[in-house]
Amino acid sequence: MSSRLTFGTLKRIIAILIAIAVVLAAGIIVGQAPAIFGVEQDPEASITFEDQQGDGTNVTIQSVSLSDGGYVVITGSGGETLAVSDRLESGSHENVTVERDDEAPRELVGQLTATVHRDTSEQDGYAYEATDGEEDRPYLEDGFPVSDTATVTTSEEPIGGDSFVVDSIDAPANATTNETIELSAEIRNPTEFQTQQAITVRIDGAVFERQVLELEGGESRTVTFETDTSGAAPGNRTIGVYTDADGAVAPIELEFHTDPSVTVDDAGNESVTVAAAIPETGFVAVERNGTVLGTSGELEPGEHENVTVDLSENASVAEDDELTATLYGGAPGDVDSASPIEHEGEPVRTTFTLADAGDGSSDGSTGNESTGG
């Protein structure tokens, strides 16, 4: 009898232990269900980026919140990255200053977009571009990046109540990069006194025209500008009219006025002279079998004559060596980071030899013609 009771008691104990194990397991599964079944709470973010005045070197984000931490990325109207914030911890932040990147193609002016990005890469710093968009992707809301757009105007003087005001701007939506365009702006003197002030026209922050305007106290006037776009980079740009502490902007699509090209005019053992039509800031490189023998100085967008490429002292170029002159976008001091400029899907380059180009001809003779391949 004692044995039967002991055996029954043992069975009950085992049953109780099994029940406890089932309950515990169920609790663990419930608590870890999102991870076990691949269901994760979507990261959330919000941002407020208001119109503001600045000096082109930084902007202020009024507020941003990030559930998982990350970065605020500032882009221009063409989508180009201009600035990235320091890494922000998860939570809410106010009055976040974002500094312009040293390598940014333009100032932080005009219509800008601030987008909130996550921090998912193992490396330090923002890595969205470096990983071709695989890491540090934007936070999403309803399938769209969490972002806000603001217009940033510049002032070369401290903001004050005496500045002329730009009430409106009328500019063409399209132009080429070597034409004179007409734009107008309604400018008002808000003071009681007759005043003279400088008015500037800027494309992506760079000054393209300046004139002095005199207005009576309280006077408004429509001012017309004839602005030469030569030197502006092609693409989606922002054109604006600015006073001391006010301004107005409009988008403009600039098309490069000619096909990119490079033509060898003369060549010797120490240097090569070329003509180039380049659609972005870059340079010309002379190469042999993929090795760079020399580069020109930095070239602004546009057409250039008599561009000199000095060859390295140890180049040892023979008269019949096949050389290549190639257009690159980027800085001549950082060739490894530069990219060949392409036209219709092919690099813009021309092949030549010292024997072909040594006569000083510049008529695009055989071997000196620019091609896309």
Side-chain angles (χ1 to χ4, degrees), residues 9 21 26 39 67 92 134 196 251 285 295 302 320 340:
T9 300
V39 178
S67 62
S92 298
E134 292 297 321
Q196 284 187 348
T295 66
D320 58 351

Side-chain angles (χ1 to χ4, degrees), residues 81-151:
T81 298
L82 303 177
V84 179
S85 72
D86 294 334
R87 189 189 185 283
L88 302 173
E89 298 296 332
S90 59
S92 298
H93 306 265
E94 294 185 354
N95 297 322
V96 177
T97 299
V98 185
E99 302 283 346
R100 174 180 177 269
D101 290 345
D102 292 338
E103 303 300 323
R106 65 178 181 87
E107 294 179 321
L108 297 178
V109 296
Q111 189 175 68
L112 305 176
T113 298
T115 304
V116 191
H117 284 248
R118 301 173 64 193
D119 181 15
T120 60
S121 67
E122 295 182 356
Q123 66 186 65
D124 292 335
Y126 176 66
Y128 183 74
E129 276 87 11
T131 60
D132 294 326
E134 292 297 321
E135 299 290 346
D136 296 354
R137 295 180 177 179
Y139 283 84
L140 299 179
E141 182 176 355
D142 297 329
F144 295 94
V146 175
S147 63
D148 197 9
T149 299
T151 297

